[in-house]
């Protein structure tokens, strides 16, 4: 099995972060886009929805192909498609074309979900550390995306957000065609057989099912927290503006910066120990909210601890699933990430329902339930030894 240089890991992390950021650029600039096309904010909001839908489509139909053809070649095709989609978005003369551009941006932004299994397949030692570094690039891309698009829109206009992103995608596309080690073993069969085999991974690996459930619960907790925190801080006694609430997201950078550290921990000892710690930290962070309602310090502490706990869970989970079968990493990754994002969507939806029914008390109780269920799932899963 090959190895990766520090420069190659950096290129992969930067490419993954720049790619996934495109899904989130539209969120803070919808009003500017609505003004340009003279449409309602509701119609503008469809742009963000289509980006998320496109990402789901790409995740299911495109990322498994990484087990069939050389991943470096697949990344080239995806980045070429992303480059063209960004130009379409920037120069769209009509709203329907803008919608198409947003959908295609989501489809081709799944480059990050091809790079992660690629890195895992190319290394044997320190897999968790390297995957953690690339995952840090993804987290930084997500965190910086909204700040970047808002700043560029204020200074140059929203179209330049996508033009500048196209330039970055172009150059990272060239860098990703550097001398990465090739993979010589691939899935032999048809594309239909590949998709069927993707679903079969759930049957093959009970550990994948348990790990996917842990990731679903963790991300569901995080999503539930952020959506209800917005409602909570908008009301008395805080009465914060949307821009001020957005600054709380900067505290979440702690999770991104510490992801490589937890990747190293995942390379040592048992994965179970790491997951018990990370899911326990997630539950403790929500208990702080429950025990100290109305405390701004408690909210700050929860933001930091919750993000660290969820990101540590994610990095450890990725280290686990990439030890199952390196020939099926792309398919296994698709199964896991689909469960992960499904958990986020369900957590968001249910937390809004509970907020409307019982406010902050019901919402935090729901988060505690998810956190406790995640710990139970980890503890009841057969011992997960480190495998490389």
């Amino acid at each position: 099995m090959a190895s990766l240089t520090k420069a190659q890991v950096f290129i992969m992390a930067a490419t993954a972060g720049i790619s996934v950021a495109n899904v989130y650029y539209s969120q803070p600039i919808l009003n500017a886009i609505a003004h340009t096309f003279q449409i309602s904010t509701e119609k503008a909001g469809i742009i963000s929805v289509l980006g998320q839908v496109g990402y789901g489509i790409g995740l299911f139909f495109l990322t498994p192909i990484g087990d069939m053809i050389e991943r470096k070649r697949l990344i080239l095709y995806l980045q070429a498609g992303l480059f063209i989609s960004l130009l379409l978005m920037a120069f769209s003369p009509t709203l329907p074309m803008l919608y198409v551009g947003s959908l295609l941006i989501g489809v081709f932004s799944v480059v990050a979900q091809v790079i992660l299994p690629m890195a895992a397949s190319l290394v044997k030692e320190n897999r968790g550390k390297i995957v953690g570094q690339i995952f840090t690039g993804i987290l930084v891309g997500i965190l910086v995306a909204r700040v970047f698009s808002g700043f560029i829109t204020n200074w140059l206009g929203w179209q330049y957000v996508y033009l500048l992103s196209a330039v970055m995608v172009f150059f990272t596309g060239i860098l990703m065609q550097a001398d990465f080690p090739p993979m010589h073993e691939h899935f032999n069969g048809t594309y239909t057989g590949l998709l069927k085999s993707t679903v079969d991974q759930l049957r093959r690996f009970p550990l994948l099912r348990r790990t996917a459930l842990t990731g679903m619960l963790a991300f569901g907790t995080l999503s539930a927290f952020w959506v209800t925190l917005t409602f909570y801080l908008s009301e008395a006694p805080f009465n914060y503006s949307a821009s001020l609430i957005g600054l709380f997201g900067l505290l979440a950078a702690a999770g991104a910066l510490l992801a490589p550290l937890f990747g190293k921990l995942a390379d040592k000892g048992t994965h179970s120990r790491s997951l018990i710690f990370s899911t326990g930290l997630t539950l403790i962070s929500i208990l702080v909210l429950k025990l100290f309602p109305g405390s701004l310090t408690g909210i700050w502490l929860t933001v930091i601890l919750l993000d660290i706990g969820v990101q540590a869970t994610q990095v450890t989970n990725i280290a686990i699933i990439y030890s199952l079968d390196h020939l099926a990493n792309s398919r296994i990754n698709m199964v896991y990430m689909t469960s992960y994002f499904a958990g986020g969507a369900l957590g968001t939806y249910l937390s809004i329902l509970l907020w409307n029914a019982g406010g902050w008390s019901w919402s935090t109780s729901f988060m505690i339930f998810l956190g406790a269920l995640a710990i139970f799932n980890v503890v009841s899963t057969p011992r997960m030894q480190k495998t490389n």
Side-chain angles (χ1 to χ4, degrees), residues 205 245 248 289 319 326 357:
F205 300 111
I245 294 173
F248 280 77
L289 285 182
H326 75 278

Side-chain angles (χ1 to χ4, degrees), residues 7-74:
Q8 288 173 326
V9 174
F10 176 80
I11 290 171
M12 296 174 88
T15 302
I18 288 171
S19 298
V20 76
N22 289 286
V23 181
Y24 300 92
Y25 284 146
S26 65
Q27 292 179 359
I29 61 175
L30 291 175
N31 284 334
I33 296 176
H35 179 74
T36 298
F37 287 91
Q38 296 297 304
I39 58 176
S40 66
T41 54
E42 182 179 354
K43 288 185 177 180
I46 296 175
I47 296 169
S48 293
V49 174
L50 287 173
Q52 295 286 351
V53 170
Y55 195 83
I57 293 172
L59 190 64
F60 186 84
F61 290 102
L62 297 181
T63 58
I65 300 176
D67 287 336
M68 179 178 280
I69 68 173
E70 189 64 45
R71 291 191 179 102
K72 188 168 73 171
R73 182 151 54 102
L74 176 59

Side-chain angles (χ1 to χ4, degrees), residues 4 9 119-120 123-133 260 263-264 266-268 319 386-388:
L4 294 170
V9 174
V123 296
K124 182 177 181 181
E125 300 295 330
N126 300 320
R127 180 182 288 126
K129 173 185 175 182
I130 291 174
V131 168
Q133 290 172 338
K264 293 180 183 178
D267 289 325
K268 300 177 181 179
K386 184 190 89 168
T387 53
N388 275 323

Side-chain angles (χ1 to χ4, degrees), residues 321-344:
I321 65 173
Y322 289 158
S323 69
L324 298 175
D325 181 359
H326 75 278
L327 297 180
N329 272 346
S330 291
R331 285 165 284 169
I332 290 171
N333 182 75
M334 191 283 284
V335 171
Y336 176 79
M337 294 307 299
T338 299
S339 302
Y340 189 74
F341 284 110

Side-chain angles (χ1 to χ4, degrees), residues 22-270:
N22 289 286
V23 181
Y24 300 92
Y25 284 146
S26 65
Q27 292 179 359
I29 61 175
L30 291 175
N31 284 334
I33 296 176
H35 179 74
T36 298
F37 287 91
Q38 296 297 304
I39 58 176
S40 66
T41 54
E42 182 179 354
K43 288 185 177 180
I46 296 175
I47 296 169
S48 293
V49 174
L50 287 173
Q52 295 286 351
V53 170
Y55 195 83
I57 293 172
L59 190 64
F60 186 84
F61 290 102
L62 297 181
T63 58
I65 300 176
D67 287 336
M68 179 178 280
I69 68 173
E70 189 64 45
R71 291 191 179 102
K72 188 168 73 171
R73 182 151 54 102
L74 176 59
I75 290 170
L76 176 63
Y77 297 155
L78 291 175
Q79 288 193 280
L82 181 56
F83 176 78
I84 294 171
S85 301
L86 288 166
L87 294 181
L88 176 62
M89 188 77 174
F91 294 110
S92 292
T94 64
L95 184 61
M97 190 172 292
L98 192 74
Y99 284 163
V100 172
S102 182
L103 179 69
L104 292 178
I105 285 173
V107 169
F108 293 114
S109 290
V110 294
V111 173
Q113 300 304 329
V114 178
I115 290 176
L116 272 174
M118 175 183 175
S121 298
L122 292 176
V123 296
K124 182 177 181 181
E125 300 295 330
N126 300 320
R127 180 182 288 126
K129 173 185 175 182
I130 291 174
V131 168
Q133 290 172 338
I134 295 173
F135 191 65
T136 297
I138 294 174
L139 293 175
V140 170
I142 294 172
L143 290 171
V144 172
R146 298 175 181 88
V147 179
F148 171 81
S149 62
F151 177 81
I152 296 300
T153 298
N154 288 336
W155 282 91
L156 299 173
W158 66 267
Q159 293 89 343
Y160 283 90
V161 172
Y162 296 98
L163 287 174
L164 291 174
S165 181
V167 172
M168 290 187 286
V169 168
F170 178 82
F171 282 108
T172 55
I174 294 175
L175 293 174
M176 276 302 299
Q177 297 310 303
D179 190 24
F180 285 95
M183 287 293 295
H184 300 289
E185 299 177 277
H186 300 286
F187 174 83
N188 294 317
T190 65
Y191 175 68
T192 302
L194 179 72
L195 294 181
K196 181 178 182 299
S197 175
T198 300
V199 179
D200 287 343
Q201 302 308 311
L202 278 172
R203 177 185 54 79
R204 285 184 66 198
F205 300 111
L207 187 54
L208 175 59
R209 297 195 295 269
R210 303 298 288 266
T211 303
L213 179 58
T214 303
M216 176 184 288
L217 293 169
F219 194 49
T221 305
L222 184 69
S223 300
F225 169 74
W226 280 109
V227 72
T228 51
L229 181 67
T230 301
F231 300 145
Y232 186 55
L233 294 179
S234 299
E235 297 182 348
F238 302 104
N239 298 313
Y240 288 166
S241 64
S243 58
L244 188 57
I245 294 173
L247 294 178
F248 280 77
L250 296 178
L251 293 174
L257 297 176
L258 291 176
L261 172 62
F262 288 103
K264 293 180 183 178
L265 294 177
D267 289 325
K268 300 177 181 179
T270 65

